[in-house]
C-alpha cells in the first residue's frame, strides 16, 4: 500500500513530539498518542483550525452524529484522499479507516476494538474558557445563590473528538474562595498536573486563571466538576462529551446528555456545617432532584412555567422507529438514581468511558459519578400524545432528603415526584402541551445491581494477573464514621469525619498510619512535596510501584467492621447502612469481586473474575459487603481515591495513591509531567498564598472540611 503511514505521538524523554509511524493492523496498538498539538485561533465552538500549514489541507473532516450544531471532527494528519470517516448508522463500531481495503476485505484504521489506552487518532486542539462566579438561579422556582460555570447550570457542554487536545482556561471570580476543576474519569496519562484536585495543585486564586491542557484519549460520556470542597454541590459541574465509535448501531443521538442531580436549597457549606456536630451518617440533606436543571412536578413555579407545564421538564425528542443514543450522567452530591423511560428498554453500550458489549435492561442504577451511554428503540406506534415519562428514582438506601427518604417498599411516603423528564415523539399527531400518562414497569430500586454490573463486559478486554504486585491485605480499607469529639481538624465538636482506614495490625506491620480522615493543606499539594507530604497522617498516602507494561494492583473496600472490633463496642452509626460510590482518579479499575456478603480473605477471592471483568472508574461498595478492584499502575502520579458522596468526601473518606518508580521516587513523576508543569504549579501556589493575605479583598472563607 503506497501510503500506509499513520501519525502518532511519542514520548521522547520529557518532551512530546509528532512522529510518523508504520501503520499497524486493524485494532493493533500504536505508539502512545499523548501530548500537545499545534494550532492557532479558535472559533466560537472552541474549535481550533489551522496551525499545520499544508499538512491539514486535505484533512479528514466530518460531523459526528449527535454533536452540537456546527461541530466537526477534524484529523489534520490523515489525508482525505487516503483516509475516510466510517461512523455511519449501520457501522457505528468504525471511526476512521483506510479507503483501500486489504485482499481479505479488512481495512486499517481506528474502531471500537482499538486499544484506546495505547492508540488514538490525532485530532485538533479545542479551546474553552470558563468563569467561575456566584449567580442567583431558581431551577425549580426556589432561589439559590449558586456557584456556576459561565452562569449556567449545568455548565456548558465541553465537546471533543477522540484524539483531540482540550485547552480549558478557568478564571476564578468568587469573592471568598479558591477553585479548581477535575475532569472526571479522564485518565490524564502523563498529565497528572491537570487532574484539578488539591493533591495536584493549589486552588486558583481569586481574579486569577489556570489553563488545563490534556488529551482526549478515551471517548464517550463524562463530566467535569469543582474538586474544591463542596463547590460542585453548589452547581459547579457540567457535561463532557468525547465523540468516538460505539459497540452498537444507532440512527440518532441526543446532543445534550441527561444530567441527573440532587439539589440543595441552602448553601452546601451551611448544610455541611449543620451536620458537623451531629452523628448523622448520611451527611447533608438534599431538597429536590433535577434533570438538566429542571425539576418537573417538583417545580415551585418561576421562569415562566408551572408544575403542570411541559416546560418544567427536560424534553428529549425522539422519532418513531429510530434507534437513538442517550448519554446519562449522575452529578449528585448524595443520591444514587434508578433511571428509566416508560415503555422503553435501554441497551447499554458504555459505562464510565469504557465501551461494553451491548446489554439490554429496563432500568439502570446510576451511582454518583457514574455515566452510561444507552440506545433506545423508537416505537413505531407511540401513544397519541407522543409523550413518555423519564424517571429519575432515588435508589433505596442511597438517598436522604430533608423531607424524608425514598423507599420503594412504601411509595406513598415518597418525598416528591420522580418524573423529571419527557421523551417526546415528534410526529404530526403528537403535541408538546400534554403531560404523559404512562406507567413505569420498574420494580427493582436497589442501590446495587450485581447481575447488571457483571453483565457489562468491556469490548477491549483486560486479563488480570492472579497474583497482584502488592499484598492485598495491606490494601484493604474500611470506612468508619467518627464518634469522638474532633479536636484537631476543623472546629472542636466536629463529628463529621470519615476515616478510610486499614487494619491496625497492618498499620503496625508496615509502620504507616491510615486511621485518619483525609485532610489537605491547600498550600501544600502532594505533587509539589512528594517526600514531605507523606509525613502528615491526614494525607493518607499509599505508595504503589510503577509498571509500564505488566502487573496489577489489588485494592479492597470493605464495608464491614474493622478486624478485632465488635458492633456492640461501637456507636450504632459508626458503620453506616449505605453504599459507597468509590471513584479512582488516573485509571480505570476492573471489578474482581463485588458482593453484599461480608469479605472473607480466604474464600472471597476464589470467586473473583480475572478474564475481562467489568471495568469503570466509579464503583459501588455495597452495604455491609465489599468491592475488590484491580488497576494497572502505568500512569505515574498522585491520584485520589474517594467516596463520591460529596458530604463523605468533605468529611475525609479518601486516600491518595502515589504511583512511581521505586528506584527513583519523586523524580520519576517530575520527569513524566515535565519541569515546566512543576513551575506552573509552583507559580499557582505562590499566587494562592499571596491571595490568602491580600488586604484589598475579603478574607478567605475558613476551611472546615477535607478540602476535596
Amino acid at each position: 500500500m503506497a501510503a500506509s503511514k499513520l501519525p502518532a505521538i511519542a514520548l521522547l524523554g520529557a518532551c512530546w513530539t509528532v512522529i510518523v509511524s508504520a501503520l499497524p493492523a486493524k485494532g493493533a496498538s500504536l505508539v502512545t498518542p499523548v501530548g500537545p498539538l499545534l494550532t492557532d485561533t479558535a472559533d466560537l465552538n472552541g474549535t481550533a483550525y489551522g496551525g499545520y500549514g499544508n499538512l491539514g489541507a486535505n484533512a479528514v473532516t466530518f460531523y459526528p452524529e449527535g454533536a452540537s450544531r456546527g461541530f466537526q471532527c477534524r484529523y489534520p494528519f490523515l489525508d482525505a484522499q487516503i483516509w475516510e470517516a466510517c461512523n455511519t448508522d449501520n457501522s457505528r463500531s468504525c471511526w476512521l479507516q483506510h479507503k483501500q481495503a486489504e485482499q481479505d476485505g479488512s481495512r486499517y484504521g481506528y474502531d471500537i476494538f482499538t486499544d484506546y489506552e495505547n492508540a488514538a487518532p490525532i485530532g485538533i486542539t479545542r479551546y474553552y474558557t470558563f468563569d467561575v462566579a456566584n449567580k442567583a438561579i431558581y431551577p425549580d422556582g426556589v432561589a439559590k445563590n449558586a456557584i456556576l460555570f459561565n452562569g449556567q447550570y449545568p455548565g456548558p457542554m465541553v465537546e471533543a473528538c477522540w484524539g483531540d487536545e482540550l485547552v480549558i482556561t478557568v478564571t476564578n471570580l468568587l469573592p471568598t474562595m479558591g477553585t479548581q476543576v477535575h475532569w472526571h474519569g479522564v485518565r490524564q496519562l502523563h498529565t497528572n498536573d491537570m487532574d484539578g484536585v488539591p493533591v495536584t495543585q493549589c486552588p486558583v486564586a481569586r481574579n486569577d486563571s489556570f489553563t488545563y491542557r490534556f488529551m482526549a484519549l478515551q471517548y464517550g460520556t463524562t463530566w467535569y466538576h469543582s474538586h474544591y470542597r463542596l463547590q460542585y454541590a453548589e452547581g459547579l459541574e457540567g457535561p463532557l462529551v468525547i465523540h468516538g465509535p460505539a459497540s452498537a448501531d444507532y440512527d440518532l443521538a441526543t446532543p445534550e446528555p441527561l444530567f441527573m442531580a440532587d439539589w440543595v436549597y441552602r448553601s452546601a457549606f451551611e448544610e455541611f456545617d449543620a451536620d458537623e456536630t451531629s452523628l448523622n451518617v448520611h451527611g447533608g440533606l438534599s431538597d429536590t432532584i433535577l434533570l438538566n436543571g429542571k425539576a418537573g412536578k417538583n417545580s415551585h413555579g418561576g421562569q415562566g412555567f408551572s408544575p403542570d407545564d411541559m416546560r418544567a421538564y427536560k424534553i428529549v425528542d425522539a422519532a418513531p422507529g429510530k434507534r437513538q443514543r442517550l448519554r446519562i450522567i449522575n452529578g449528585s452530591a448524595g443520591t444514587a438514581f434508578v433511571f428509566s423511560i416508560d415503555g422503553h428498554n435501554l441497551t447499554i453500550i458504555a459505562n464510565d468511558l469504557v465501551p461494553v458489549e451491548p446489554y439490554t435492561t429496563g432500568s439502570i442504577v446510576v451511582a454518583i459519578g457514574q455515566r452510561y451511554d444507552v440506545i433506545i428503540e423508537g416505537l413505531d406506534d407511540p401513544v397519541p400524545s407522543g409523550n413518555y415519562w423519564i424517571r429519575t428514582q432515588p435508589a433505596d438506601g442511597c438517598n436522604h432528603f430533608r423531607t424524608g427518604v425514598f423507599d420503594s417498599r412504601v411509595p406513598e411516603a415518597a418525598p416528591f415526584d420522580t418524573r423529571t423528564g419527557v421523551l417526546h415523539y415528534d410526529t404530526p399527531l403528537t403535541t408538546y402541551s400534554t403531560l404523559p400518562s404512562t406507567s413505569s414497569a420498574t420494580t427493582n430500586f436497589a442501590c446495587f445491581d450485581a447481575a447488571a454490573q457483571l453483565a457489562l463486559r468491556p469490548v477491549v478486554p483486560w486479563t488480570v494477573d492472579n497474583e497482584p504486585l502488592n499484598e492485598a491485605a495491606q490494601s484493604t480499607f474500611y470506612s468508619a464514621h467518627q464518634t469522638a469529639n474532633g479536636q484537631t481538624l476543623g472546629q472542636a465538636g466536629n463529628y463529621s469525619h470519615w476515616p478510610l482506614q486499614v487494619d491496625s495490625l497492618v498499620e503496625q506491620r508496615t509502620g504507616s498510619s491510615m486511621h485518619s480522615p483525609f485532610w489537605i493543606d491547600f498550600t501544600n499539594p502532594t505533587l509539589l512535596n512528594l517526600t514531605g507530604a507523606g509525613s502528615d497522617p491526614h494525607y493518607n498516602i499509599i505508595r504503589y510501584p510503577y509498571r509500564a507494561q505488566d502487573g496489577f494492583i489489588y485494592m479492597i473496600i470493605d464495608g464491614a467492621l474493622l478486624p478485632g472490633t465488635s458492633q456492640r463496642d461501637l456507636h450504632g452509626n459508626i458503620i453506616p447502612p449505605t453504599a459507597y460510590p468509590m471513584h479512582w482518579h488516573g485509571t480505570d479499575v476492573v471489578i474482581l469481586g463485588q458482593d453484599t456478603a461480608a469479605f472473607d480473605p480466604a474464600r472471597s477471592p476464589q470467586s473473583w473474575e480475572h478474564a475481562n471483568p467489568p471495568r469503570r472508574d466509579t464503583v459501588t461498595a455495597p452495604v455491609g459487603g465489599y468491592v475488590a478492584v484491580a488497576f494497572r499502575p502505568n500512569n505515574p502520579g498522585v491520584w485520589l481515591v474517594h467516596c463520591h458522596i460529596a458530604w463523605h468526601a468533605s468529611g475525609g473518606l479518601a486516600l491518595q495513591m502515589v504511583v512511581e518508580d521505586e528506584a527513583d521516587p519523586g523524580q520519576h513523576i517530575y520527569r513524566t509531567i515535565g519541569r515546566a508543569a512543576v513551575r506552573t504549579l509552583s507559580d499557582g501556589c505562590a499566587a494562592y498564598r499571596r491571595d490568602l493575605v491580600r488586604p484589598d479583598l475579603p478574607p478567605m472563607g475558613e476551611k472546615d472540611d477535607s478540602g476535596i
Side-chain angles (χ1 to χ4, degrees):
M1 199 178 302
S4 58
K5 298 291 183 181
L6 179 69
I9 300 178
L11 176 61
L12 301 177
C15 301
W16 304 108
T17 184
V18 177
I19 66 170
V20 174
S21 64
L23 186 69
K26 179 180 178 180
S29 297
L30 307 181
V31 179
T32 304
V34 287
L37 307 182
L38 301 174
T39 58
D40 48 20
T41 56
D43 66 14
L44 294 179
N45 280 331
T47 304
Y49 297 101
Y52 298 101
N54 293 329
L55 186 61
N58 295 314
V60 174
T61 303
F62 63 98
Y63 170 81
E65 173 58 39
S68 59
R69 182 176 299 178
F71 183 93
Q72 287 187 319
C73 293
R74 181 175 170 84
Y75 294 96
F77 291 91
L78 300 183
D79 191 327
Q81 295 181 351
I82 302 171
W83 287 82
E84 64 184 357
C86 52
N87 191 255
T88 63
D89 295 3
N90 295 312
S91 63
R92 294 297 179 195
S93 64
C94 191
W95 190 243
L96 295 160
Q97 67 181 10
H98 220 259
K99 286 184 175 180
Q100 183 176 343
E102 297 299 292
Q103 290 183 351
D104 62 0
S106 65
R107 296 174 187 263
Y108 295 124
Y110 299 93
D111 60 23
I112 195 70
F113 303 105
T114 302
D115 184 356
Y116 51 86
E117 289 228 337
N118 294 304
I122 301 174
I124 59 176
T125 297
R126 302 182 189 270
Y127 293 89
Y128 290 85
T129 301
F130 289 158
D131 289 341
V132 174
N134 291 109
K135 182 181 179 181
I137 60 173
Y138 43 100
D140 68 346
V142 176
K144 177 184 175 69
N145 186 31
I147 304 177
L148 306 176
F149 290 108
N150 292 359
Q152 296 179 221
Y153 182 79
M157 182 169 72
V158 173
E159 194 170 11
C161 295
W162 185 20
D164 284 347
E165 181 189 40
L166 282 165
V167 177
I168 305 170
T169 299
V170 177
T171 300
N172 180 17
L173 301 179
L174 297 173
T176 60
M177 284 185 280
T179 194
Q180 50 203 354
V181 184
H182 172 58
W183 317 96
H184 186 107
V186 174
R187 188 181 174 205
Q188 298 294 359
L189 179 64
H190 299 170
T191 51
N192 184 213
D193 53 306
M194 296 289 116
D195 201 35
V197 292
V199 302
T200 61
Q201 70 173 114
C202 290
V204 181
R206 291 171 291 182
N207 301 317
D208 201 358
S209 300
F210 186 87
T211 297
Y212 296 92
R213 181 186 291 266
F214 56 90
M215 298 294 294
L217 303 180
Q218 303 140 287
Y219 51 86
T221 304
T222 190
W223 60 310
Y224 60 92
H225 59 84
S226 170
H227 229 294
Y228 178 102
R229 304 178 62 198
L230 284 156
Q231 284 182 349
Y232 97 74
E234 289 287 271
L236 203 54
E237 57 185 352
L240 195 168
V241 171
I242 304 169
H243 298 287
S247 62
D249 293 333
Y250 55 89
D251 304 299
L252 308 171
T254 300
E256 185 181 22
L258 295 174
F259 200 99
M260 303 178 289
D262 47 22
W263 189 247
V264 184
Y265 287 157
R266 65 176 176 176
S267 163
F269 304 104
E270 293 176 0
E271 192 66 42
F272 183 77
D273 290 343
D275 179 54
E276 281 186 327
T277 54
S278 74
L279 286 174
N280 172 25
V281 300
H282 297 283
L285 303 177
S286 300
D287 292 285
T288 190
I289 51 179
L290 303 176
L291 184 62
N292 292 69
K294 294 187 175 184
K297 277 288 185 184
N298 307 304
S299 171
H300 295 269
Q303 294 185 318
F305 57 71
S306 73
D308 295 320
D309 192 324
M310 282 276 281
R311 288 173 295 173
Y313 300 87
K314 167 61 182 173
I315 298 175
V316 177
D317 288 320
K322 297 293 185 180
R323 303 162 296 181
Q324 184 163 346
R325 177 176 182 162
L326 304 176
R327 302 174 185 269
I328 302 166
I329 303 168
N330 185 351
S332 290
T335 304
F337 288 103
V338 177
F339 178 90
S340 64
I341 302 176
D342 290 359
H344 295 74
N345 283 326
L346 310 167
T347 297
I348 301 171
I349 59 172
N351 65 183
D352 295 7
L353 296 178
V354 177
V356 299
E357 297 172 4
Y359 172 75
T360 301
T361 181
S363 62
I364 307 172
V365 56
V366 190
I368 302 168
Q370 290 184 339
R371 296 87 62 209
Y372 285 92
D373 291 54
V374 304
I375 296 172
I376 59 171
E377 296 280 347
L379 304 178
D380 292 324
D381 187 21
V383 294
S385 70
N387 297 327
Y388 294 80
W389 286 120
I390 297 174
R391 300 176 188 264
T392 52
Q393 166 83 39
D396 292 350
C398 288
N399 71 89
H400 201 221
F401 292 86
R402 197 172 312 281
T403 50
V405 298
F406 283 88
D407 187 334
S408 61
R409 295 165 297 183
V410 284
E412 65 278 0
F416 40 79
D417 206 299
T418 64
R419 297 172 291 180
T420 54
V422 175
L423 182 73
H424 171 78
Y425 281 90
D426 188 13
T427 74
L429 300 179
T430 60
T431 173
Y432 280 102
S433 61
T434 304
L435 290 175
S437 58
T438 55
S439 300
S440 173
T442 303
T443 58
N444 183 8
F445 295 98
C447 193
F448 167 62
D449 189 339
Q453 183 61 74
L454 288 173
L456 300 178
R457 296 291 173 170
V459 173
V460 178
W462 285 10
T463 298
V464 183
D465 299 341
N466 288 316
E467 295 297 328
L469 295 170
N470 62 323
E471 185 180 337
Q474 295 181 12
S475 290
T476 299
F477 304 95
Y478 304 80
S479 63
H481 188 242
Q482 175 183 302
T483 58
N485 191 331
Q487 299 289 343
T488 60
L489 301 178
Q491 301 173 357
N494 184 338
Y495 292 99
S496 291
H497 297 317
W498 289 82
L500 190 60
Q501 55 198 61
V502 298
D503 180 2
S504 57
L505 294 177
V506 171
E507 244 186 347
Q508 296 170 14
R509 188 164 62 248
T510 61
S512 61
S513 176
M514 277 291 287
H515 266 68
S516 302
F518 185 91
W519 198 270
I520 191 79
D521 175 357
F522 280 147
T523 67
N524 186 26
T526 307
L527 188 55
L528 291 180
N529 187 12
L530 286 167
T531 302
S535 63
D536 188 331
H538 293 294
Y539 272 51
N540 285 2
I541 291 176
I542 184 165
R543 299 182 184 274
Y544 290 127
Y546 167 77
R547 294 291 187 273
Q549 299 295 331
D550 302 321
F552 285 82
I553 298 292
Y554 284 15
M555 298 180 75
I556 300 161
I557 308 298
D558 195 334
L561 291 169
L562 277 166
T565 62
S566 170
Q567 186 71 54
R568 66 176 178 270
D569 300 325
L570 305 171
H571 186 280
N573 284 335
I574 194 168
I575 304 296
T578 190
Y580 301 101
M582 301 300 298
H583 174 50
W584 274 258
H585 290 224
T587 184
D588 289 335
V589 297
V590 299
I591 303 174
L592 296 171
Q594 192 176 24
D595 204 331
T596 54
F599 173 62
D600 184 323
R603 296 182 181 179
S604 296
Q606 296 176 13
S607 63
W608 288 357
E609 180 65 65
H610 293 83
N612 197 26
R615 184 168 78 246
R616 58 192 319 158
D617 58 64
T618 307
V619 176
T620 297
V623 176
Y626 78 95
V627 62
V629 305
F631 70 93
R632 291 169 167 163
N634 58 4
N635 192 7
V638 180
W639 306 108
L640 275 176
V641 178
H642 64 93
C643 177
H644 224 295
I645 297 173
W647 320 108
H648 292 183
S650 281
L653 195 59
L655 57 83
Q656 50 184 320
M657 310 182 299
V658 176
V659 178
E660 61 183 349
D661 188 341
E662 310 102 305
D664 193 11
Q667 297 308 309
H668 175 224
I669 293 176
Y670 292 148
R671 284 201 313 272
T672 301
I673 65 174
R675 293 292 173 179
V678 177
R679 288 193 296 270
T680 298
L681 295 178
S682 298
D683 291 345
C685 284
Y688 180 71
R689 292 189 190 100
R690 290 193 298 269
D691 191 23
L692 290 174
V693 295
R694 283 185 61 171
D696 58 326
L697 292 176
M700 280 282 201
E702 181 183 0
K703 176 181 175 295
D704 58 1
D705 67 2
S706 71
I708 63 168

